[in-house]
Amino acid sequence: MALAERLAGRTIAVTGAGSGIGRAIALRLVSEGARVLAADRDVAAAEATAALAPGGAVTACATDVTDERDVREMVARAVALGGFAGLVNNAGVGVAGTAPETTVEQLDAVLAVSVRGTFLGIAAAVPALVAGGGGAIVNVSSIAALVGIPDRAAYSAAKGAVLALTRAAAIDHVGAGVRVNCIVPGTVETPWIERITAGAEDPAAAQAAMQARQPHGRFVQPQEIAAMAAYLLSDEAASVVGAAMVVDGGMTAR
Ligand SMILES: NC(=O)c1ccc[n+]([C@@H]2O[C@H](COP(=O)([O-])OP(=O)(O)OC[C@H]3O[C@@H](n4cnc5c(N)ncnc54)[C@H](O)[C@@H]3O)[C@@H](O)[C@H]2O)c1
């Protein structure tokens, strides 16, 4: 089957679709024939993603994934578009710091988006996917779930939870025809990287040093994460269940 048809006729909701990885996923899914509901708490950013796609292929949706009502409304809107077949729980926020350096407010904010948001997404999407005959959910974890990354205590806790929740939900729902998997990205070139390095004395030098640390010598591109998301959402991944698909340029291989 041509890639342009792999997701034809399917509606897929993508959270955090207004920027970086989420935007790249939304556009990739459209290129494979899907309709996308681009959900973001920054609705102007989601609308900017929609403007990059062919007319009507992407619908923007104001959604704060930490809000249960918003998440239910997002799924209802995806169902209303017809052919609801998947959800990508991509929205995430980060905070730098060790545990002693991190405030409880920062911890709660990071956990709320990644853990509560992914949990609410699964809870709302599974019944709708089952009602539609099955589907797939893709969560976005991080290599911080697999190896120790300095100064990322709260973020690592959040992404480790996303990985564990992926496996639990995969086992819970595979019998009903819903596959749940996660992607484990390495360091991906998105506005996130600019924010992390903005405080450095020489942001360009800090980014160059980060790239040099990658075994394959460069940042992972958002489009490379999007390609994995499209695969996991497609029927070609029918036997991929509860998996953590690492796309990290070799960071966790050494
Ligand atoms: N960039 C990386 O190196 C990297 C590496 C591993 C994992 N990730 C993960 O990939 C995902 C996307 O990261 P990115 O680099 O594209 O970040 P980004 O900051 O460029 O985009 C994140 C998007 O999520 C949205 N968002 C934040 N909180 C939200 C909420 N409560 N409800 C709805 N939307 C919300 C933001 O408005 C933004 O549009 C995150 O889960 C992140 O943890 C990123």
Side-chain angles (χ1 to χ4, degrees):
M1 180 184 282
L3 280 186
E5 298 160 14
R6 203 162 57 162
L7 302 173
R10 302 183 193 190
T11 293
I12 296 162
V14 181
T15 70
S19 177
I21 293 170
R23 172 174 288 176
I25 291 174
L27 298 177
R28 171 71 188 235
L29 301 184
V30 166
S31 79
E32 298 206 20
R35 276 180 305 269
V36 170
L37 187 71
D40 205 294
R41 70 177 170 191
D42 180 350
V43 72
E47 281 162 0
T49 297
L52 294 171
V58 175
T59 305
C61 181
T63 305
D64 179 344
V65 299
T66 68
D67 183 309
E68 185 179 16
R69 219 172 37 182
D70 272 18
V71 175
R72 288 186 184 280
E73 172 68 20
M74 171 186 77
V75 170
R77 284 191 64 182
V79 169
L81 288 172
F84 179 53
L87 168 67
V88 182
N89 286 308
N90 163 77
V93 295
V95 61
T98 63
E101 291 162 358
T102 303
T103 66
V104 73
E105 290 79 15
Q106 288 174 317
L107 171 67
D108 287 347
V110 170
L111 294 177
V113 182
S114 276
V115 186
R116 185 181 161 101
T118 300
F119 196 101
L120 292 176
I122 293 169
V126 165
L129 291 171
V130 171
I137 296 175
V138 175
N139 301 323
V140 178
S141 179
S142 161
I143 57 168
L146 301 181
V147 295
I149 307 278
D151 291 324
R152 296 286 184 276
Y155 184 70
S156 302
K159 292 304 188 177
V162 169
L163 177 54
L165 175 56
T166 297
R167 293 186 176 130
I171 296 307
D172 282 340
H173 305 300
V174 65
V178 179
R179 289 184 301 104
V180 185
N181 291 288
C182 71
I183 304 178
V184 181
T187 310
V188 187
E189 190 166 21
T190 69
W192 181 290
I193 300 293
E194 284 157 39
R195 286 198 296 273
I196 290 175
T197 52
E201 230 167 75
D202 182 347
Q207 287 193 25
M210 280 176 85
Q211 299 219 46
R213 276 203 300 269
Q214 311 299 313
H216 75 338
R218 63 171 176 82
F219 290 132
V220 176
Q221 293 304 303
Q223 292 77 13
E224 295 173 305
I225 306 301
M228 179 59 78
Y231 165 70
L232 289 172
L233 289 161
S234 80
D235 296 342
E236 289 186 275
S239 291
V240 185
V241 175
M245 309 297 273
V246 178
V247 185
D248 71 347
M251 277 288 275
T252 54
R254 65 179 167 200

